[in-house]
Amino acid sequence: MTEVQELAAFVTGARFAQLSATAVEQLKIRVLDTIGIAIAALDAPPLVAVRELTESLGGNGASTLIGGGASAPDRAAFYNVALSRYLDFMDSYLAKGETNHPSDNIGAVLAAAESVDASGADFLTAVAVAYQVHTRLSDVAPVRAKGFDHTVQGAYAVAAAVSKALGLSVDQTANAIAISGTANNALRVTRTGNLSNWKGLAYPQVGKEGTFAALLARAGITGPEEVFEGNKGFKETIAGDFTIDWSTEDLESVLRTIIKKHNAEIHSQSSIDAALDIRSQAGFDATQIAAVRVTTFQVAFDIIGGGEEGSKREIRTKEEADHSLLYMVAAALLDGEVQPAAFAPERITRADVQELLQRVTVTPDAGYSARFPNEMPSRVEVELADGTVLMATTASYKGFFTNPLDWADAMGKFTRLVTPFTGPDLRDQLAEVIHSLDTQPVRELTTLLARVPLTRRKGSTSVA
């Protein structure tokens, strides 16, 4: 067998019974978290535009759009993944040379599963497949240093997971993965320099195309059978040599992923925690800050601290703000939190945060870098006008894989994000269905998602 056929055999052989009870619970927590984030983005202007486009294009109505309406599975995948990706509040996986967001696959898997009336258990199994493929490829085949985006591994993961949700054969699954992997090799420029709306839409594109690849394979279309190892294939052209024995893989990778506490790029989480610690210390006065010094690990410096992916001092948009460690630490010190409101246009442009972020410096530390990705160490020092220096250090947080969220923890975040749209009754119904998803059809969830209003209830402020 070729390597993609071996991967396809793993995908088609995956069974819900293989999952540990802990993994099932964490998968449900990831679905809850992802749905909550998606609902909270319903009134964000780019998502309003995407919805209008999706509705204008039409579709066969096989898959529900969050907030009502329906479209073809690939178009629903784009819209629903865009919702869960836009706020940049999704989960993450940290590999030594790559960081990705496996929950980006959930919206596509949901659209596919609904289109074939899959069970909730089958849906969760397909999501587990997405997590396994996405994380393991990121472990052994990182592409960021070569100028490619982390969505590249996702092209294989989402096609594999959608194929599983659709119930494709081994050959069809191999073709779907081969088509998607060959066709979706995105450039890292998406996340460097001045950031555009595409930062939040690059994975929805992969979700859409991976779904379409699976639909093509179901219709009998074939893909390059040596997509990994072949002449000019993924290994030779992009990733370099690597080995994964898919016959020995399990479905437990969700346990190695982490959920964001703060609405901020993943590598900033510990620095924000340290900043909030300082804010609670005696003598702190935000109006008296003379300098802020952040020491972090190399990956955080390179991506969000002003390193190889560009300066992070000129902040004008949400996309730039949530990828600027300088902005996010400044906002934390001023506001006492970094939640969606931190990225409202009027907050980003306000003088207090614009002036303070200019006084933030970020420095990488070799010792901290050696501890990543098992930890995300950070030290923040705030020097006040009178020379007083306040300091805090941290290396993980509640939601990190070493200290995972339980259902009650996850419900706190879900409640905060969802209630302005749903109110308490629909919110609690959604949570109940998600928590019992392994015992009922996936359509029970999508039926509720169709009832979610597209706008916030009166008195709730848009922050997207």
Side-chain angles (χ1 to χ4, degrees), residues 293-358:
R293 295 181 286 273
V294 180
T295 304
T296 188
F297 47 99
Q298 189 69 44
V299 171
F301 174 71
D302 285 342
I303 296 175
I304 57 174
E308 67 176 25
E309 298 200 350
S311 172
K312 301 297 177 179
R313 290 196 185 279
E314 295 182 8
I315 306 303
R316 305 158 299 171
T317 66
K318 176 226 176 287
E319 288 82 3
E320 291 170 347
D322 69 30
H323 266 55
S324 167
L325 187 55
L326 293 74
Y327 176 87
M328 291 180 285
V329 167
L333 291 168
L334 291 169
D335 299 343
E337 65 176 13
V338 181
Q339 293 297 318
F343 306 106
E346 61 271 19
R347 182 65 191 109
I348 292 171
T349 57
R350 200 176 303 160
D352 60 348
V353 72
Q354 286 289 333
E355 291 171 1
L356 182 54
L357 77 86
Q358 305 304 323

Side-chain angles (χ1 to χ4, degrees), residues 389-407:
V389 175
L390 305 175
M391 187 271 291
T393 62
T394 187
S396 66
Y397 63 94
K398 184 68 171 175
F400 202 66
F401 70 89
T402 55
N403 188 17
L405 296 186
D406 60 22
W407 186 261

Side-chain angles (χ1 to χ4, degrees), residues 157-331:
V158 72
V162 168
S163 296
K164 181 65 177 177
L166 293 175
L168 301 191
S169 69
V170 173
D171 286 344
Q172 289 171 328
T173 299
N175 284 319
I177 296 169
I179 293 167
S180 183
T182 301
N184 295 285
N185 293 290
L187 299 178
R188 184 69 185 178
V189 71
T190 297
R191 301 174 210 285
T192 66
N194 296 331
L195 300 184
S196 67
N197 292 149
W198 196 246
K199 177 181 76 68
L201 298 176
Y203 206 97
Q205 172 71 8
V206 170
K208 173 173 71 72
E209 293 304 317
T211 300
F212 188 59
L215 296 173
L216 285 171
R218 187 174 67 177
I221 303 302
T222 61
E225 61 184 6
E226 293 188 333
V227 59
F228 287 117
E229 72 273 31
N231 180 16
K232 305 300 188 296
F234 181 54
K235 290 183 178 182
E236 180 181 325
T237 306
I238 299 175
D241 194 32
F242 64 87
T243 300
I244 300 178
D245 183 354
W246 291 107
S247 69
T248 65
E249 289 292 317
D250 57 28
L251 296 173
E252 302 287 300
S253 266
V254 64
L255 302 180
R256 301 188 293 144
T257 61
I258 58 184
I259 290 178
K260 290 182 179 179
K261 175 180 179 181
H262 311 290
N263 187 181
E265 197 273 351
I266 188 59
H267 303 105
S268 71
Q269 302 288 308
S270 51
S271 295
I272 292 171
D273 261 4
L276 294 176
D277 183 316
I278 290 171
R279 197 175 188 276
S280 69
Q281 294 177 20
F284 175 80
D285 184 346
T287 67
Q288 297 300 306
I289 297 175
V292 180
R293 295 181 286 273
V294 180
T295 304
T296 188
F297 47 99
Q298 189 69 44
V299 171
F301 174 71
D302 285 342
I303 296 175
I304 57 174
E308 67 176 25
E309 298 200 350
S311 172
K312 301 297 177 179
R313 290 196 185 279
E314 295 182 8
I315 306 303
R316 305 158 299 171
T317 66
K318 176 226 176 287
E319 288 82 3
E320 291 170 347
D322 69 30
H323 266 55
S324 167
L325 187 55
L326 293 74
Y327 176 87
M328 291 180 285
V329 167

Side-chain angles (χ1 to χ4, degrees), residues 36-102:
I37 296 162
I39 290 171
L42 279 166
D43 59 353
L47 273 300
V48 173
V50 169
R51 184 179 184 89
E52 291 174 351
L53 174 61
T54 303
E55 290 175 341
S56 73
L57 293 173
N60 64 7
S63 302
T64 297
L65 304 176
I66 296 173
S71 190
D74 56 336
R75 292 174 182 173
F78 186 95
Y79 178 65
N80 291 341
V81 176
L83 285 171
S84 69
R85 187 60 179 77
Y86 178 73
L87 291 183
D88 214 311
F89 214 168
M90 63 291 171
D91 75 359
S92 299
Y93 177 69
L94 307 177
K96 193 69 176 176
E98 198 81 76
T99 298
N100 63 51
H101 310 286

Side-chain angles (χ1 to χ4, degrees), residues 1-41:
M1 290 195 296
T2 66
E3 291 182 27
V4 76
Q5 290 168 337
E6 292 172 354
L7 171 55
F10 163 75
V11 172
T12 57
R15 297 290 180 268
F16 183 78
Q18 294 174 250
L19 288 159
S20 67
T22 303
V24 170
E25 182 73 357
Q26 288 300 317
L27 285 168
K28 292 176 181 177
I29 287 172
R30 297 307 183 281
V31 174
L32 182 79
D33 191 64
T34 303
I35 294 297
I37 296 162
I39 290 171

Side-chain angles (χ1 to χ4, degrees), residues 410-426:
M411 275 299 298
K413 179 178 174 182
F414 182 77
T415 297
R416 185 171 64 248
L417 292 172
V418 168
T419 308
F421 288 88
T422 63
D425 292 342
L426 181 54

